Amino acid sequence: PHRVIDPRTRINTHIYMASPLTSADDEALIEEILARLTLREKLGQMMQPDWRTFRSAPKLSEAGAAVLPAWAGSAVKRALNAPLTDEQCDRSVGRHCLGSVLGGGGACPTPNGPLAWQAQAAAMQRAALRASSGLPLLVCNDSVHGQANLRDATLFPHHIGQGCMRDEGLVEELGALAARESAACGINWIFSPCAAVALDLRWGRTYESFSEDPALCGRLSAAE
């Protein structure tokens, strides 16, 4: 588990009570792992590159667009976006002992279906376990309002829209659906819940906040 809040810290206890996220045995195991990791392995665990960079890069034009032969058709383009192979994963995840990877906006294997996603996630996990660090991988995707990179996935409003509904039961249901459809793709971290409290529209991603009201954000974040 990823510790976000020290359970001994009192933060808005009238909204929620922070609870321990790890047991004494968990903490002992964490200390044991940290003690054996080298500095290089620790650095790898702190990185989160986009997995699209693990593919063999095609030649680029001056404008930065991929240059494909004039005869290149859909088969060639599909090959460039095929699920990552064990070799590609060993060369990236394994070599650098990565702790997590991210599929950014529009990232998807071809064909864009759960089986291809699962195959790719499994290849990355195998590479992580073969690495000298030997630790499982966090496969991340921004799925807070649905697995938006998966074709035919169920999508729903951003948090700012869900906050307008003020329906904790519905927010919980939507969060569970996003989790299931992401897990079906081998994704095990979906950046949820998002407990941001946006107070200034000049902030970059205010739409990811349920509300400017901390109490409402607390209730809906707990539901999610």
Side-chain angles (χ1 to χ4, degrees), residues 17 113 190:
M17 288 296 294
I190 64 173

Side-chain angles (χ1 to χ4, degrees), residues 49-172:
D50 191 311
W51 53 255
R52 288 174 290 188
T53 62
F54 303 162
R55 296 189 176 117
S56 299
K59 295 181 179 179
L60 301 180
S61 67
E62 292 182 1
V67 177
L68 298 177
W71 48 264
S74 58
V76 174
K77 294 174 183 176
R78 282 198 302 272
L80 288 174
N81 293 315
L84 295 169
T85 65
D86 283 289
E87 180 183 359
Q88 289 170 321
C89 293
D90 282 333
R91 200 166 55 228
S92 49
V93 176
R95 177 183 178 187
H96 300 292
C97 302
L98 297 180
S100 66
V101 296
L102 167 69
C108 63
T110 301
N112 186 1
L115 292 179
W117 280 88
Q118 289 173 22
Q120 177 169 279
M124 290 191 286
Q125 292 289 3
R126 287 194 295 271
L129 294 177
R130 284 194 294 264
S132 59
S133 54
L135 298 175
L137 186 70
L138 287 172
V139 181
C140 310
N141 194 76
D142 195 351
S143 303
V144 291
H145 64 111
Q147 214 296 48
N149 291 333
L150 172 66
R151 184 180 296 277
D152 297 326
T154 307
L155 304 182
F156 23 89
H158 273 290
H159 283 125
I160 195 168
Q162 295 182 42
C164 292
M165 297 184 289
R166 296 173 177 263
D167 188 331
E168 295 166 46
L170 181 57
V171 168
E172 181 177 5

Side-chain angles (χ1 to χ4, degrees), residues 185-196:
C185 295
I187 295 164
N188 56 17
W189 189 14
I190 64 173
F191 303 143
S192 175
C194 180

Side-chain angles (χ1 to χ4, degrees), residues 160 198-207 212:
I160 195 168
L199 299 175
D200 190 330
L201 291 176
R202 293 172 296 178
W203 291 3
R205 299 168 74 97
T206 54
Y207 55 86
E212 65 179 1

Side-chain angles (χ1 to χ4, degrees), residues 5-86:
I5 299 173
D6 186 332
R8 295 165 296 183
T9 303
R10 294 176 59 85
I11 303 176
N12 293 337
T13 53
H14 65 285
I15 299 176
Y16 74 96
M17 288 296 294
S19 59
L21 300 179
T22 57
S23 67
D25 288 342
D26 292 330
E27 292 293 341
L29 178 59
I30 291 170
E31 291 300 324
E32 178 186 331
I33 291 171
L34 287 174
R36 69 171 173 79
L37 290 178
T38 66
L39 177 60
R40 179 177 174 278
E41 291 167 342
K42 289 177 181 177
L43 289 172
Q45 290 296 301
M46 296 169 65
M47 295 180 185
Q48 189 183 81
D50 191 311
W51 53 255
R52 288 174 290 188
T53 62
F54 303 162
R55 296 189 176 117
S56 299
K59 295 181 179 179
L60 301 180
S61 67
E62 292 182 1
V67 177
L68 298 177
W71 48 264
S74 58
V76 174
K77 294 174 183 176
R78 282 198 302 272
L80 288 174
N81 293 315
L84 295 169
T85 65
D86 283 289

